[in-house]
Amino acid sequence: MTLNWPAVGLILGVVAILVFRRALTSLLERTEKVKDWLVAPKQPALPEPANKPLPTRDTAEEQRALEELTTGFDNQSLRLQEDWIRADLTKHGLTADGATEKVLLRHLAGTQLVLHLERIYYSIYSSQLQALRWLNSQGTGVSADSLVGFYDRAVSAWPAIYQDRDFRSWLAFLASQGLITESEESKNAPQDADPFGLKISVLGREFLAFLVNAGRADPFIG
């Protein structure tokens, strides 16, 4: 029997459509989506920039904001800390004269100050804190001999701690942490001379206020 190839091809085509109908439908849907994307309108062009002047600095507004952000956050210790930071910036050829820089500088000084006071709190001995409070009550500078009693009582109570710590190293801690100062004459005296004209420093008073404001208990040992 002679096959009618056109008729056979038509039959096979119908069968293929019936069998692969779902796959063909999915393919057509994807093709339509691609076509839609290809003919979709592109991103519209950006509008021409308007001829508007750039905003100018309002110095009065900056000053108002500066005062608002620093009011109540100012004392001698903070200003001294700021001076040290500014000196370090100047040494590296930098400045901080804008309103924003001044606010950030004040907060940086405050953060550094609190961290320093925290370090002192965890290092100072009880006897040194007692001596610092006594100095805070003195109107004039005192000699080192006036503080020996605080040291001697601590040695009696804590001999193991003070086995390798003499009075000079005990006193030197207060000075090295910036809690006390000595007179100019004392600074120029021979190195082996006992210091005199000792006073509590601005930082020393700030430390005592920090203990009260933070509700810190006095150190127990030393």
Side-chain angles (χ1 to χ4, degrees):
M1 180 179 65
T2 303
L3 293 175
N4 188 343
W5 288 110
V8 173
L10 178 60
I11 294 171
L12 291 176
V14 172
V15 172
I17 290 174
L18 293 175
V19 174
F20 299 105
R21 180 180 178 181
R22 181 173 298 178
L24 289 172
T25 301
S26 177
L27 176 62
L28 289 173
E29 287 177 354
R30 290 198 297 270
T31 304
E32 288 300 318
K33 289 180 181 179
V34 172
K35 183 182 72 174
D36 290 343
W37 179 83
L38 289 173
V39 300
K42 302 302 180 183
Q43 180 73 15
L46 295 175
E48 292 295 326
N51 241 347
K52 292 183 179 178
L54 293 174
T56 57
R57 293 179 59 184
D58 187 339
T59 53
E61 181 64 20
E62 284 188 350
Q63 183 62 30
R64 184 200 62 76
L66 174 61
E67 292 174 358
E68 182 180 328
L69 290 170
T70 56
T71 297
F73 188 40
D74 183 20
N75 58 38
Q76 191 175 0
S77 297
L78 272 175
R79 291 193 294 272
L80 288 172
Q81 190 69 25
E82 281 187 13
D83 290 342
W84 292 332
I85 297 173
R86 286 186 183 279
D88 192 42
L89 291 174
T90 301
K91 184 173 66 175
H92 292 85
L94 300 173
T95 59
D97 297 326
T100 301
E101 288 89 345
K102 289 179 181 177
V103 172
L104 294 176
L105 186 62
R106 175 64 56 83
H107 285 78
L108 174 61
T111 301
Q112 290 183 344
L113 181 59
V114 170
L115 288 175
H116 183 52
L117 297 177
E118 288 281 4
R119 286 195 296 268
I120 294 174
Y121 174 70
Y122 287 108
S123 303
I124 196 169
Y125 285 155
S126 175
S127 58
Q128 293 168 325
L129 178 56
Q130 293 170 20
L132 191 64
R133 286 188 173 129
W134 181 80
L135 279 176
N136 190 43
S137 66
Q138 305 304 303
T140 58
V142 302
S143 65
D145 291 342
S146 303
L147 301 176
V148 171
F150 294 97
Y151 171 80
D152 289 340
R153 287 191 291 274
V155 171
S156 298
W158 305 91
I161 292 177
Y162 287 96
Q163 186 174 0
D164 299 319
R165 290 180 174 86
D166 58 12
F167 173 69
R168 276 187 168 271
S169 63
W170 178 91
L171 187 63
F173 172 85
L174 297 174
S176 65
Q177 298 302 314
L179 300 175
I180 63 174
T181 61
E182 61 181 314
S183 64
E184 290 299 321
E185 294 82 1
S186 177
K187 292 178 182 177
N188 297 325
Q191 190 173 2
D192 57 348
D194 288 334
F196 54 90
L198 298 176
K199 295 182 179 180
I200 187 171
S201 67
V202 172
L203 183 64
R205 292 193 179 91
E206 187 70 30
F207 177 65
L208 296 181
F210 164 76
L211 296 180
V212 174
N213 295 332
R216 297 299 174 85
D218 287 359
F220 176 70
I221 66 172

